[in-house]
Amino acid sequence: MKIIVANPNSNTELTKVLMKSAEKGFNDSSTELIPYTNPKGSKHIDCTFGDYQSVWSFVRGLLDFTEEVKPDAIVLAGFGNFGFFALKEALDIPVISIAEGSQVIATMLGHKYSILTVFKQNIPYQEDLTHLLRLEGKLASVRGIEMDTENVSQNSSVKESLKNTIIKMIEEDGAEAIVLGGARFAMYADSLSEEIGVPVIDPVSVSVKLAKLFVECHLSQSKIGKFNYPPQKISDYFVD
């Protein structure tokens, strides 16, 4: 089995961080996890503008890479939109967005869940995305922390900010599970969950395992309605 783990950012250092999360607890030698980095996207996607400016190259490049690699599934390892509905239309293999996969899992772990994102400015974007996924009825809150997006390594001050914000989500917002809404946060999931005592979800790790489950159960997005193939050939949508 081959699963592409696709980074919509153009930051290769972030791709390495994503792959560490993807490989966490993944001991299946029969499955190959293949990284992909958007060659022309924003280095750090932290708002709607960054999403829109990155998605055109991400979708096109990922389709070409998929044709080359022939994977069994794709995990879109950015916590945002990034054209995942479009990719579900274009492809018949499972396409798992970490934003969708992790939030669906969160709905099963408590009455309501909260999302912790990068920057307070990014909160409306995440709220809109949850509405798009029709999960807002289970959403307790979205909160953001300010951080240096250049830093993709473990940082004690970042972890402390995450911990303090999660405690507020639980005590003030009524959250019973937490989704870390960004690949940069994934490395803190296990220790935060242990220290605070609630499920804290690493969206990359759970989405990779979900993709593997889909393949093993012979499941993929339905092609008769919303995710039917585009009416034109894929190549006809691109102007060189």
Side-chain angles (χ1 to χ4, degrees), residues 157-199:
S157 63
V158 170
K159 182 181 176 182
E160 192 65 22
S161 294
L162 291 170
K163 183 176 180 179
N164 292 337
T165 305
I166 289 172
I167 291 171
K168 290 179 181 178
M169 288 171 159
I170 296 166
E171 295 179 350
E172 299 176 14
D173 305 337
E176 297 178 10
I178 306 297
V179 175
L180 296 180
R184 294 172 181 83
F185 296 157
M187 64 187 81
Y188 305 102
D190 291 344
S191 59
L192 287 170
S193 184
E194 183 177 347
E195 290 175 24
I196 299 172
V198 300

Side-chain angles (χ1 to χ4, degrees), residues 13-169:
E13 289 303 309
L14 184 56
T15 302
K16 294 176 183 177
V17 172
L18 292 172
M19 293 307 295
K20 286 183 180 179
S21 285
E23 293 163 356
K24 185 174 63 180
F26 204 89
N27 301 315
D28 182 2
S29 60
S30 67
T31 301
E32 181 182 5
L33 301 180
I34 304 169
Y36 174 81
T37 306
N38 184 359
K40 297 182 180 179
S42 300
K43 188 176 181 182
H44 305 292
I45 302 174
D46 49 19
C47 62
T48 304
F49 188 83
D51 180 339
Y52 285 24
Q53 289 302 309
S54 299
V55 69
W56 70 271
S57 61
F58 183 56
V59 169
R60 185 168 186 174
L62 189 51
L63 288 175
D64 289 342
F65 190 64
T66 298
E67 185 64 27
E68 174 188 341
V69 172
K70 308 293 186 188
D72 298 286
I74 296 175
V75 173
L76 306 183
F79 205 93
N81 191 330
F82 312 123
F84 70 94
F85 281 175
L87 286 163
K88 285 186 177 186
E89 283 184 350
L91 298 169
D92 58 9
I93 59 173
V95 176
I96 308 294
S97 158
I98 67 167
E100 183 176 28
S102 60
Q103 290 187 71
V104 169
I105 294 295
T107 66
M108 303 170 66
L109 299 176
H111 181 59
K112 289 199 171 186
Y113 70 94
S114 288
I115 300 170
L116 211 167
T117 188
V118 181
F119 305 138
K120 293 178 181 179
Q121 179 184 342
N122 205 33
I123 291 174
Y125 171 84
Q126 296 298 342
E127 291 176 337
D128 287 347
L129 180 60
T130 302
H131 177 74
L132 179 67
L133 295 170
R134 300 184 180 185
L135 296 172
E136 66 267 38
K138 297 285 286 184
L139 182 69
S141 63
V142 181
R143 294 198 184 217
I145 70 164
E146 309 303 308
M147 64 176 291
D148 176 12
T149 55
E150 292 289 340
N151 186 359
V152 293
S153 59
Q154 288 265 13
N155 184 295
S156 59
S157 63
V158 170
K159 182 181 176 182
E160 192 65 22
S161 294
L162 291 170
K163 183 176 180 179
N164 292 337
T165 305
I166 289 172
I167 291 171
K168 290 179 181 178
M169 288 171 159

Side-chain angles (χ1 to χ4, degrees), residues 221-237:
Q221 56 272 7
S222 173
K223 304 304 291 184
I224 64 171
K226 181 174 183 176
F227 301 127
N228 196 358
Y229 295 104
Q232 302 178 59
K233 292 188 302 181
I234 295 296
S235 59
D236 290 343
Y237 289 93

